[in-house]
Amino acid sequence: MTTATGGSSPDPDGDAPGSGSPGHVVSLPATATGAPRRRLPVLHGDSGDDRWGRGLSSVAGVAPGLGLCALAVLVALGVNARFPALSAMLVAIVLGIVVRNVVHLPASVEPGLAFAAKRLLRIGVVLLGLQLVVGDILALGTGMVLVVVCVVSGGICSTLLIGRWMGISSTQRLLIAGGFSICGAAAVAAVDGVIETEDEEEVVTAVALVVLFGTLAIPLLPLAAGSLGMDPVRTGLWAGASVHEVAQVVAIGAGIGPAALKAAVIVKLARVLLLAPVMAVISVVRRRTAPLSARGHRPPVVPLFVAGFVAMVALRSLGIVPGGVLSAAKVVQTGALSAAMFALGCGVRLSMFRHVGPRPLVLATASTAVVGTVGLVGVTLAG
């Protein structure tokens, strides 16, 4: 996702940067037809691409795309209500892929899709923190907490090393490492929010791979656990430690039983909790290595949406958030993340995989194998 601030090229939608205009411009993802990226004017005084609210400068511009996202969310929620094993987010991203590759989308929806894929997803990630209670995670015991740390750290480091050996770009392997080791598409978007990936195809490739491998895990992991003689609780622990998306973990646990579901969700949320420190580390490294922006700024040490996520975890863990607020926040979170998943799905053009080549798929396979193996060994030893 590319952000342009200032520069020598003129702004097609306003005054040229540096000519006394009070704003800068933001490039949006290219359309499916390869048309040049549209730009939205943004007022100066904003603290950066990781600050909320900047996209609201052109409501009319984003309205068509957001309307399409809202319609997709309603469809996804309807499917989820009829088939609870299919999460709204999973349905939304698949729907987005289908729409992009079957229907010709007008250029007018692109700004709204870009807004949803970035801003709404960050809102959803922040609200995801309200699902986490630190006490529940600590109740897993020291052994399982160490397993979670090993899964996340081992998955990220091994994916980065294997990807480097394969000659994959640093940003692509970091996106895959985050998505496969922490919490799927939300982690991919969080990583992108920190490193601001230049190539949009790298982001949608990582998201598509998360969907593919996580969906395959829903039937395959219980079968593998059964062949290994694992009981329901251990199977749930393994699912939580190794499957990418929270929704995919829920689908596995629910298919096994209540005990497996509870174990799976707590372990998975423990991995989600590590999103904040991992993003902080990436941001610090990025801050040291990235060049100054056009306005003389470096990336923040902790992106605002990561700080918001931590704040929500703290509020939930303190037990001061009323039940009604938690329920409402859950609805907003599901809607925001589903809209974002649909928008990300709309960025997946099946033809692009011929251009991307097999290397990201191979890296995703290796990452899944590492995370699954570390999780299995850890659960066997600590569970």
Side-chain angles (χ1 to χ4, degrees):
M1 298 182 182
T2 307
T3 302
T5 56
S8 59
S9 60
D11 177 5
D13 296 322
D15 295 330
S19 63
S21 169
H24 62 280
V25 296
V26 177
S27 298
L28 296 173
T31 66
T33 60
R37 299 184 176 195
R38 297 183 61 188
R39 294 180 174 182
L40 297 179
V42 179
L43 295 179
H44 280 318
D46 198 321
S47 55
D49 212 54
D50 59 348
R51 299 299 187 259
W52 301 345
R54 189 181 58 179
L56 297 179
S57 60
S58 180
V59 176
V62 300
L66 291 181
L68 180 61
C69 288
L71 180 61
V73 169
L74 290 177
V75 173
L77 292 174
V79 173
N80 173 250
R82 180 67 179 85
F83 304 100
L86 299 176
S87 75
M89 287 183 286
L90 176 60
V91 173
I93 197 167
V94 172
L95 182 60
I97 294 172
V98 171
V99 168
R100 171 61 80 187
N101 290 276
V102 174
V103 179
H104 174 70
L105 293 176
S108 61
V109 305
E110 300 299 338
L113 291 176
F115 181 88
K118 194 163 193 176
R119 306 300 176 194
L120 294 187
L121 197 144
R122 290 182 177 185
I123 292 172
V125 169
V126 170
L127 294 177
L128 184 62
L130 288 175
Q131 292 189 24
L132 304 176
V133 179
V134 175
D136 291 345
I137 294 170
L138 294 178
L140 290 170
T142 304
M144 279 307 303
V145 171
L146 288 176
V147 170
V148 170
V149 173
C150 289
V151 165
V152 173
S153 59
I156 290 175
C157 292
S158 61
T159 303
L160 293 178
L161 289 173
I162 295 170
R164 183 177 182 180
W165 174 74
M166 295 176 62
I168 295 175
S169 70
S170 60
T171 50
Q172 178 72 92
R173 59 180 186 256
L174 190 55
L175 290 166
I176 293 175
F180 279 62
S181 303
I182 307 175
C183 56
V188 172
V191 172
D192 179 54
V194 174
I195 66 176
E196 297 183 350
T197 313
E198 293 288 340
D199 188 351
E200 186 73 17
E201 285 189 351
E202 292 187 343
V203 179
V204 296
T205 297
V207 170
L209 291 171
V210 162
V211 173
L212 173 62
F213 281 84
T215 302
L216 289 175
I218 294 175
L220 294 180
L221 187 140
L223 289 175
S227 67
L228 294 172
M230 300 177 69
D231 60 45
V233 173
R234 285 180 183 269
T235 302
L237 293 173
W238 186 25
S242 57
V243 178
H244 313 317
E245 291 276 358
V246 174
Q248 294 159 351
V249 170
V250 170
I252 293 173
I256 299 172
L261 176 61
K262 181 179 180 180
V265 170
I266 293 176
V267 173
K268 180 59 187 178
L269 292 181
R271 289 169 65 194
V272 175
L273 185 61
L274 293 181
L275 179 69
V278 170
M279 292 306 105
V281 170
I282 294 174
S283 183
V284 169
V285 173
R286 178 73 172 173
R287 184 180 176 86
R288 290 176 178 176
T289 59
L292 291 173
S293 69
R295 288 158 58 192
H297 293 164
R298 292 192 183 277
V301 175
V302 178
L304 185 59
F305 74 97
V306 175
F309 172 83
V310 173
M312 294 301 103
V313 173
L315 288 175
R316 177 65 191 277
S317 299
L318 291 172
I320 61 177
V321 182
V325 174
L326 291 175
S327 299
K330 174 66 175 175
V331 173
V332 175
Q333 174 212 311
T334 301
L337 288 179
S338 297
M341 292 303 107
F342 172 76
L344 288 172
C346 284
V348 177
R349 286 169 282 123
L350 298 180
S351 60
M352 81 180 187
F353 289 106
R354 292 193 296 269
H355 167 70
V356 170
R359 289 185 299 171
L361 180 64
V362 175
L363 179 59
T365 303
S367 183
T368 298
V370 170
V371 170
T373 300
V374 173
L376 176 60
V377 173
V379 167
T380 302
L381 295 176

